[in-house]
Amino acid sequence: MTESHRRPLAVFDLDGTLADTAHRQHFLERKPRDWSGFFGAAPQDPPLERGVRMAVEAAGDCEVVYLTGRPERCRRDTLAWLAAQELPEGRVWMRGNQDRRPARVTKLETLERIARGREVRMLVDDDELVCDAARRAGFPVVRADWAAASAELKDAQEREGRT
């Protein structure tokens, strides 16, 4: 077993936790929502310094992994963004391209899979419903409350299962 597999895990969300999505929220205010535009603008997300700092600090004691509601088709852009922000290397868990279940369901399912045989030191996420579900399942949670809340994004996460 490698050293990284013995270290506890620190699990970080991306949008609203590490990445500031405010500049692309307008894509979700349209009817119908412009998902291609929303995800296409993700590479230009400014970093959320508090979340980035927390991930870098966590890497001292933990293996950092990323759990996002972004669809798998965004993997290349997501990996490039993480590298550009000089975030710790770590596995990126993404939603299947056709998975439209609420984030609180998909993320908890994936978190439970990630945690098999591993200690999860913390989950850091901005979605209140994801945080509540993870807490109920016994995971230690840090609610990322440092980005501006978006009603459109919350609705998209819950009703449309898109992020």
Side-chain angles (χ1 to χ4, degrees):
M1 185 175 276
T2 66
E3 178 62 29
S4 69
H5 285 91
R6 284 182 254 168
R7 297 172 75 200
L9 297 171
V11 182
F12 284 84
D13 171 47
L14 295 178
D15 296 338
T17 300
L18 299 173
D20 186 350
T21 63
H23 73 101
R24 54 187 169 112
Q25 293 302 314
H26 64 95
F27 291 109
L28 301 182
E29 294 166 3
R30 302 173 183 171
K31 298 295 180 198
R33 291 184 167 116
D34 180 0
W35 290 106
S36 293
F38 180 76
F39 289 121
Q44 287 76 46
D45 288 352
L48 290 166
E49 292 304 323
R50 187 166 168 196
V52 169
R53 187 171 52 251
M54 186 178 283
V56 170
E57 289 171 2
D61 296 324
C62 299
E63 177 185 348
V64 174
V65 297
Y66 303 96
L67 174 58
T68 180
R70 291 180 184 183
E72 184 64 42
R73 69 180 174 276
C74 299
R75 180 169 292 278
R76 183 179 302 140
D77 286 345
T78 299
L79 294 175
W81 186 88
L82 289 166
Q85 307 316 311
E86 299 181 357
L87 279 151
E89 288 186 25
R91 184 162 180 185
V92 178
W93 298 81
M94 303 183 86
R95 165 193 300 275
N97 286 330
Q98 302 307 315
D99 189 342
R100 299 288 190 264
R101 294 174 298 156
R104 64 185 158 78
V105 174
T106 60
K107 283 188 173 182
L108 183 60
E109 181 181 281
T110 304
L111 183 61
E112 288 172 337
R113 190 170 353 144
I114 293 169
R116 286 189 190 131
R118 301 290 300 275
E119 174 196 351
V120 174
R121 178 79 46 90
M122 70 176 112
L123 166 68
V124 185
D125 200 298
D126 67 315
D127 185 322
E128 183 177 354
L129 297 174
V130 169
C131 291
D132 290 347
R135 262 192 215 97
R136 281 193 301 275
F139 292 101
V141 173
V142 175
R143 172 98 188 281
D145 58 3
W146 43 84
S150 164
E152 290 80 16
L153 184 57
K154 184 175 183 176
D155 184 61
Q157 289 169 325
E158 252 325 277
R159 293 183 189 217
E160 296 182 39
R162 294 290 189 119
T163 184

